[in-house]
Amino acid sequence: MEGKSHRRRVNLDDVIDLRLSSVDKKTKANEHAVRLCNYMDVYNNSFIHADIDFMAATATEREIEKCTLVAGDVIITKDSEKYDDIGVPALVREDVPDLICGYHLAILRPRSTEVDGTYLFYALSADDAQQQFHSYANGVTRFGLRKADIGLVEIPIPPLPEQRAIAHILRTLDDKIELNRRMNETLEEMARALFKSWFIDFDPVRAKMEGHWQRRESLPGMPAELYDLLPDRLVDTELGKIPAGWEVKSLDEIANFRNGLALQKFRPRDNDDRLPVVKIAQLRSGRADSGEWARASIDPACILEDGDVVFSWSGSLLVKIWYGGPAALNQHLFKVTSTQYPKWFYLHCTQSHLHEFQSIAADKATTMGHIKRQHLSEAKCVVPNQILLSAANAIFAEMLSMRTSASFESRMLIDKRDTLLPKLMSGETRVKDVDAFLEKES
């Protein structure tokens, strides 16, 4: 790559066909069945692909003709309660049958002779374009973009071959990040399945009770030495029958749930010691990018470090391990810790109660949509003895270590991508011999 700092800029109106969607979530008998790409599908996913669980809906023939998504389209959030949630882009990576763009979104379809779709996505992801979207957002309690204002947003526009080279570089980094994300999802699914089988359904103990010693090899992931440590009978408890010698404990007995702070916002100076604030959205994405800051002198118990288990107890309930670097814990999050039990154990114990907590949070008449301390005491789990936990630790800790390595690599790749993006867009960094580069990478 070589340096140069001049780029021709154009309005979006000059290089795209813009379509605003009005397709709602309703299902009507006289309309055609479709799948709907909604606001949160775009907000939570940089890339739209067939693996996303799109909702079922219906649309008219005219809406289908206008709002069907095709590979290369860029979708942006057009309306939101916060001005800085306006203009969030997502790229449609592949054709998905019957996929329609939903309400509160806009489709930016690139004109193929002017702009490459993947390049357009990255151009709209850059701070320059994002600031323009935010400046055009109109509203007081709810913000929106007018069609005319979207068309006024300017982006840098190098020749098409260079656009494709830039897109390839950035997409290669994102593909590796996505590969790591999917690997971590697979590891998480495997760990949850094993945890449920061993510590909730007690499948190995039941097999042992039935005298199926020969089934040791058929129990997924359980080595013989661990199987041999299991009891061979169940006993009655308040939770029903559990393995002999195991205990029933509440979530707040196996772990400490430390609430975050109602952090006071401040505008930091360059020399201020500060920490980025992590809210539910940042916990979900794994990135401390809320744009809010806390003083680094806050209570150390409210500072997140890599590897901490975090539970959001308000609104969107989830339990995850944080790998986004040092950060300040927002008041709607718990940091979950334990000195007695392995991290994977109290992580999965808490996760196993999420459906129950979601039902509680949905009853806003009594709980205001929040999980209270009493619910942690009322949520029970079955705890094996320390010998069994130590033996199982080798299996679960290895899965956790693999997830940690992939997460750290992704963070490095994200930093690299975010550093390259503005330089490639501005022309400060250029791709040498574009045609040769593309031929080599094709």
Side-chain angles (χ1 to χ4, degrees):
M1 296 183 188
E2 62 184 10
K4 191 177 179 181
S5 57
H6 179 70
R7 278 268 191 261
R8 181 171 71 94
R9 295 173 65 84
V10 300
N11 297 120
L12 285 179
D13 262 346
D14 296 329
V15 295
I16 66 162
D17 294 320
L18 179 61
R19 306 177 182 200
L20 306 186
S21 174
S22 59
V23 182
D24 59 34
K25 300 179 180 180
K26 297 178 182 178
T27 299
K28 302 172 185 175
N30 60 339
E31 295 182 345
H32 301 279
V34 297
R35 287 191 286 175
L36 201 60
C37 180
N38 283 316
Y39 179 98
M40 294 308 297
D41 296 322
V42 171
Y43 191 83
N44 290 328
N45 298 280
S46 294
F47 303 105
I48 303 300
H49 47 77
D51 292 343
I52 296 174
D53 185 20
F54 300 106
M55 75 171 293
T58 61
T60 65
E61 289 186 6
R62 183 180 179 183
E63 288 171 335
I64 291 171
E65 180 180 356
K66 176 184 176 183
C67 296
T68 293
L69 294 168
V70 299
D73 282 349
V74 177
I75 316 167
I76 63 168
T77 55
K78 184 180 70 68
D79 306 291
S80 183
E81 294 175 357
K82 296 172 59 180
Y83 81 93
D84 52 358
D85 285 339
I86 294 291
V88 176
L91 173 68
V92 181
R93 288 288 294 267
E94 59 187 349
D95 290 333
V96 181
D98 304 318
L99 186 61
I100 303 297
C101 181
Y103 197 48
H104 300 309
L105 300 170
I107 305 170
L108 283 62
R109 181 158 296 168
R111 297 174 191 160
S112 58
T113 58
E114 301 290 341
V115 65
D116 175 79
T118 305
Y119 173 84
L120 175 63
F121 162 74
Y122 286 113
L124 297 181
S125 301
D127 285 344
D128 173 47
Q130 287 295 296
Q131 290 171 9
Q132 292 180 70
F133 282 131
H134 300 165
S135 68
Y136 284 127
N138 294 296
V140 179
T141 60
R142 187 168 185 84
F143 296 86
L145 285 171
R146 297 177 301 186
K147 186 174 183 179
D149 290 333
I150 296 174
L152 290 175
V153 169
E154 289 187 346
I155 61 169
I157 194 83
L160 270 171
E162 189 173 354
Q163 290 181 38
R164 296 187 183 112
I166 290 170
H168 178 88
I169 292 167
L170 297 171
R171 187 179 64 233
T172 299
L173 294 171
D174 271 324
D175 285 347
K176 178 56 179 172
I177 295 167
E178 175 66 10
L179 184 64
N180 284 343
R181 184 191 68 80
R182 294 193 180 204
M183 185 186 77
N184 278 353
E185 281 188 353
T186 300
L187 288 169
E188 175 73 11
E189 290 170 4
M190 290 171 57
R192 287 191 189 189
L194 285 181
F195 186 87
K196 183 176 185 297
S197 174
W198 296 0
F199 300 114
I200 296 178
D201 298 335
F202 318 127
D203 291 335
V205 175
R206 296 181 188 279
K208 198 168 188 178
M209 287 173 59
E210 296 167 4
H212 294 170
W213 294 90
Q214 69 276 15
R215 286 184 56 194
R216 286 192 291 193
E217 289 74 20
S218 68
L219 292 166
M222 176 167 281
E225 59 269 24
L226 180 55
Y227 187 89
D228 291 340
L229 292 172
L230 295 172
D232 59 1
R233 65 191 179 94
L234 300 176
V235 297
D236 290 322
T237 69
E238 61 184 289
L239 291 185
K241 292 186 178 297
I242 71 169
W246 295 20
E247 299 178 88
V248 174
K249 294 188 176 184
S250 62
L251 285 183
D252 58 1
E253 285 182 282
I254 68 166
N256 298 313
F257 290 75
R258 178 61 164 88
N259 212 154
L261 298 175
L263 298 165
Q264 293 183 344
K265 297 180 183 179
F266 82 109
R267 294 174 179 260
R269 295 168 298 185
D270 290 341
N271 60 347
D272 280 336
D273 289 329
R274 57 185 177 173
L275 291 168
V277 174
V278 169
K279 299 181 177 181
I280 294 172
Q282 285 69 51
L283 177 59
R284 185 181 296 279
S285 70
R287 301 187 64 194
D289 57 0
S290 67
E292 296 183 19
W293 301 90
R295 300 186 187 279
S297 58
I298 63 171
D299 183 348
C302 295
I303 295 177
L304 284 182
E305 301 288 352
D306 288 326
D308 283 341
V309 177
V310 189
F311 170 37
S312 70
W313 55 266
S314 175
S316 178
L317 303 178
L318 66 156
V319 184
K320 293 186 67 175
I321 298 180
W322 175 254
Y323 294 116
L329 189 71
N330 180 259
Q331 63 180 328
H332 294 302
L333 303 174
F334 285 129
K335 182 165 69 173
V336 191
T337 59
S338 175
T339 57
Q340 184 177 1
Y341 299 102
K343 181 179 298 181
W344 58 264
F345 183 74
Y346 59 84
L347 168 71
H348 289 297
C349 280
T350 309
Q351 286 177 334
S352 68
H353 284 278
L354 277 184
H355 181 72
E356 168 190 340
F357 288 152
Q358 287 164 352
S359 298
I360 293 171
D363 185 8
K364 296 184 180 180
T366 57
T367 67
M368 299 178 66
H370 297 164
I371 296 303
K372 297 182 178 180
R373 290 275 177 178
Q374 71 187 62
H375 300 126
L376 300 174
S377 300
E378 294 166 357
K380 306 294 183 179
C381 55
V382 178
V383 182
N385 59 51
Q386 287 293 336
I387 295 175
L388 268 170
L389 278 179
S390 296
N393 190 56
I395 298 168
F396 285 94
E398 182 180 2
M399 292 182 179
L400 196 56
S401 177
M402 293 171 66
R403 289 174 57 196
T404 298
S405 297
S407 296
F408 283 153
E409 182 186 38
S410 289
R411 195 166 85 189
M412 177 193 69
L413 293 169
I414 288 170
D415 288 343
K416 185 175 183 180
R417 180 202 63 197
D418 290 351
T419 300
L420 270 176
L421 177 59
K423 293 181 178 181
L424 288 168
M425 289 299 150
S426 67
E428 178 183 346
T429 297
R430 298 286 291 269
V431 183
K432 290 182 179 179
D433 196 352
V434 170
D435 292 334
F437 174 85
L438 290 173
E439 183 176 346
K440 177 183 176 182
E441 299 296 331
S442 62

